[in-house]
Amino acid sequence: MTAIDNVSLAQRVYTVEQVQKGEKPAAEACSISMMQLMSAAGAAVFKHLQQDVKAPAKMAVCCGEGNNGGDGYIIARLAQEAGYQVDVFALSPNKTISSKTDNNAERARLAWRDSGGQEKAVNDCEPQRYDIVVDALFGVGLNRALEGAAAALVHTLNEASAKVLAVDVPSGLNADTGSVPGVAAHAYKTVCLVAHKRGLLTGKAKNHVGQLVLEDLGIGDAFAKQSKATYVRVTTEHIQNWLPRRQPCEHKGDNGHVLIVGGQPGMSGAVVLAMQAALRCGAGKVSVACHPEVQAMVAAAQPEAMVRAVSSQKDLQAMMELANVIALGPGLGQSEWSREVFSWVADHCINTNKAWVIDADGLNILAAHEQKERLGSRVILTPHPGEAARLLNIDSNKVESDRFSALNALRDNYEAQILLKGAGSLVTSDAGQFILDAGSPAMASGGMGDLLTGLVSGLVAQGMPEAEAVVAAGIWHGRAGELAGNEGERGTLASDLLPYIRQLVNGKIT
């Protein structure tokens, strides 16, 4: 498993507090003053601006009162010197500043004025007149909704579909949680400074950040040495060797046996998708235990799987004993049959310490189940925000307002390996905490979660530890969604991901 101590700075993810407290000591360790650090930030963002828009393009730089605004004034001065047509729009234009100020943002502002630069009120900004707009209004310290002139400006930028380059964080986005309590700028690119802030990688942030690039300003190594990352950002390249090459003499018994339990009348497709994902990711054998009324339908969908109807605990017992891992929930429903089956599987897995994955209606039954405090040490939960809310007995909006806190609460309550699904899925496991950098809006259709359930269980069956399987499955699932979505985000079906899942687990594509 990728250890936090052995990953690059680009993979390390921090809280806002960590960056705010750690950047000054890191700069001092590198003999860099905070004014020099601000100058480096402005220069780093300007470098990206030059790559995207060439002089003499028209540029608007929108500056706030804090350090983010100071970065903006430096960018404006550098752009003006390079031949861009620059207008600066300030929240408090022409504010009186003492020439003896020791505030770095104010010193950067005075340097802009000394170069002949002017300031206009943000209310006067007409974004359609500019080739690019630099958002330097508010930085990572903002944890409330934008108000007044700042909110009005961001509304104007968004309505005009302006080309916005964000400095460190799009204004209005909470860089710690990924939530947007009011309005936030839609950037085509965000230049994150010093280190990645966790809120830029998950939740609503995905609608606002655009392309995310990191500039460590020359202090990244020093910062990483003194600040332990809270999350690791994982992509497909980081998990390429997690499934070993098969030996020539391997047979199906060497690659595990998955049992998928679910599929009540009207929801047989869910177990079929989970079954197909488990097969396509390499599980040696896959069985399905389903409601008697759908047994023939499920069996006809995939001849390679073994399908049995379950009317009693006896029907299920032998199947559970043969399986290496049990996936409970796809198409399970919440009927009396569903609740009985849940209890039978839970008792078996807890008593035998068998790996099991709970998703979909399995999670909904779990939310009210008396056994939820004793699930055993080998359980994996894969809730979406609505299911997480039911597990925590809170509103789903509260989950989305702080996905990190919701994930931690789930971990505290259930002591499981947990994947909280959504844009920038989050994982907490025995191996650490991870942000999964894969996925696509093409995946906003039914059945995607069932594929993930089959994929996780199939990897566990092949011998991958649960803490690794939940990360690898989440990444390969998201990447398959990206690849399938390349043919059109609208109309992508869960089954469209299956060919890509097969290629990903075999290392044919990344």
Side-chain angles (χ1 to χ4, degrees):
M1 190 70 177
T2 303
I4 289 179
D5 293 337
N6 297 325
V7 299
S8 68
L9 182 66
Q11 284 181 260
R12 299 168 187 247
V13 182
Y14 299 87
T15 65
V16 167
E17 182 181 19
Q18 284 181 295
V19 177
Q20 288 177 325
K21 289 184 176 180
E23 62 181 2
K24 184 175 181 179
E28 291 173 347
C30 298
S31 300
I32 296 174
S33 71
M34 294 308 288
M35 187 67 227
Q36 289 173 322
L37 192 67
M38 181 175 286
S39 296
V45 177
F46 179 61
K47 175 189 70 176
H48 286 277
L49 188 150
Q50 283 184 299
Q51 294 170 356
D52 298 341
V53 180
K54 305 300 181 184
K58 293 182 178 179
M59 179 193 313
V61 183
C62 303
C63 297
E65 293 295 294
N67 288 337
N68 202 247
D71 297 337
Y73 287 108
I74 291 171
I75 296 164
R77 182 166 50 83
L78 292 172
Q80 183 172 262
E81 292 171 353
Y84 289 84
Q85 302 174 67
V86 183
D87 286 328
V88 167
F89 296 91
L91 286 177
S92 56
N94 305 311
K95 173 184 176 182
T96 300
I97 301 173
S98 169
S99 60
K100 298 180 180 180
T101 182
D102 59 0
N103 181 288
N104 290 330
E106 291 183 345
R107 290 167 65 188
R109 191 170 186 174
L110 287 176
W112 163 247
R113 293 177 183 177
D114 291 342
S115 70
Q118 304 295 312
E119 299 171 21
K120 302 177 182 180
V122 293
N123 295 339
D124 296 331
C125 182
E126 300 177 42
Q128 64 274 14
R129 295 181 54 227
Y130 297 94
D131 299 303
I132 190 167
V133 177
V134 176
D135 171 17
L137 288 172
F138 289 94
V140 297
L142 185 74
N143 55 14
R144 56 177 173 79
L146 292 179
E147 300 173 343
L153 173 61
V154 170
H155 270 299
T156 301
L157 293 176
N158 291 346
E159 289 176 358
S161 298
K163 187 181 181 71
V164 176
L165 176 64
V167 179
D168 211 14
V169 57
S171 292
L173 171 68
N174 187 312
D176 223 20
T177 65
S179 65
V180 179
V183 63
H186 287 280
Y188 79 93
K189 179 185 285 187
T190 298
V191 182
C192 191
L193 304 173
V194 180
H196 280 305
K197 292 83 181 176
R198 64 183 194 176
L200 274 65
L201 293 162
T202 192
K204 297 297 184 184
K206 292 287 190 175
N207 292 338
H208 297 270
V209 169
Q211 180 188 1
L212 182 63
V213 294
L214 176 65
E215 293 288 347
D216 71 357
L217 311 183
I219 66 170
D221 289 342
F223 178 83
K225 286 179 181 177
Q226 67 182 25
S227 302
K228 183 176 177 61
T230 56
Y231 279 80
V232 170
R233 180 188 188 191
V234 184
T235 65
T236 52
E237 65 182 287
H238 303 128
I239 63 171
Q240 288 309 298
N241 300 316
W242 286 14
L243 271 179
R245 291 179 61 87
R246 290 189 173 180
Q247 298 301 311
C249 63
E250 283 191 23
H251 56 80
K252 63 184 180 182
D254 294 324
N255 290 290
H257 187 168
V258 175
L259 172 61
I260 299 169
V261 181
Q264 77 163 8
M267 294 188 287
S268 59
V271 287
V272 171
L273 288 168
M275 167 182 67
Q276 291 173 332
L279 287 166
R280 286 301 185 186
C281 78
K285 293 183 284 186
V286 177
S287 297
V288 176
C290 61
H291 192 281
E293 292 183 23
V294 302
Q295 188 269 343
M297 190 181 307
V298 175
Q302 194 71 46
E304 294 85 355
M306 298 166 282
V307 183
R308 183 171 179 176
V310 173
S311 298
S312 65
Q313 187 172 2
K314 182 179 179 181
D315 294 335
L316 187 59
Q317 189 62 36
M319 299 180 78
M320 292 192 294
E321 291 174 358
L322 291 172
N324 301 104
V325 55
I326 300 176
L328 174 65
L332 180 65
Q334 299 183 60
S335 65
E336 182 178 352
W337 175 86
S338 310
R339 292 190 295 273
E340 285 184 336
V341 166
F342 181 97
S343 295
W344 298 336
V345 173
D347 288 344
H348 174 81
C349 291
I350 292 167
N351 293 335
T352 62
N353 195 33
K354 181 167 291 182
W356 55 316
V357 183
I358 311 177
D359 188 38
D361 276 322
L363 294 171
N364 294 326
I365 294 174
L366 173 63
H369 201 278
E370 63 183 9
Q371 289 181 310
K372 67 182 181 180
E373 298 300 332
R374 55 180 193 91
L375 296 178
S377 61
R378 302 188 64 195
V379 63
I380 297 172
L381 309 182
T382 58
H384 59 53
E387 292 160 346
R390 287 187 281 276
L391 289 169
L392 295 172
N393 195 29
I394 59 177
D395 186 84
S396 60
N397 290 330
K398 189 170 183 180
V399 172
E400 285 293 77
S401 70
D402 191 344
R403 289 166 55 80
F404 298 96
S405 292
L407 183 70
N408 290 338
L410 288 169
R411 178 75 168 174
D412 290 343
N413 287 358
Y414 293 97
E415 298 181 354
Q417 323 296 321
I418 300 169
L419 189 156
L420 177 58
K421 294 181 287 198
S425 293
L426 305 179
V427 171
T428 182
S429 72
D430 293 342
Q433 299 190 110
F434 305 88
I435 300 179
L436 309 186
D437 196 2
S440 165
M443 301 171 75
S445 63
M448 294 291 176
D450 303 313
L451 287 183
L452 179 63
T453 301
L455 185 50
V456 175
S457 55
L459 296 178
V460 173
Q462 294 174 75
M464 189 178 286
E466 293 91 314
E468 293 185 20
V470 69
V471 174
I475 285 291
W476 281 325
H477 180 250
R479 181 59 179 147
E482 293 173 356
L483 293 165
N486 286 339
E487 298 183 28
E489 290 180 348
R490 288 185 172 87
T492 297
L493 305 179
S495 55
D496 295 335
L497 276 62
L498 289 167
Y500 298 106
I501 288 173
R502 184 182 182 188
Q503 293 183 64
L504 285 162
V505 298
N506 282 289
K508 300 294 185 181
I509 54 176
T510 57

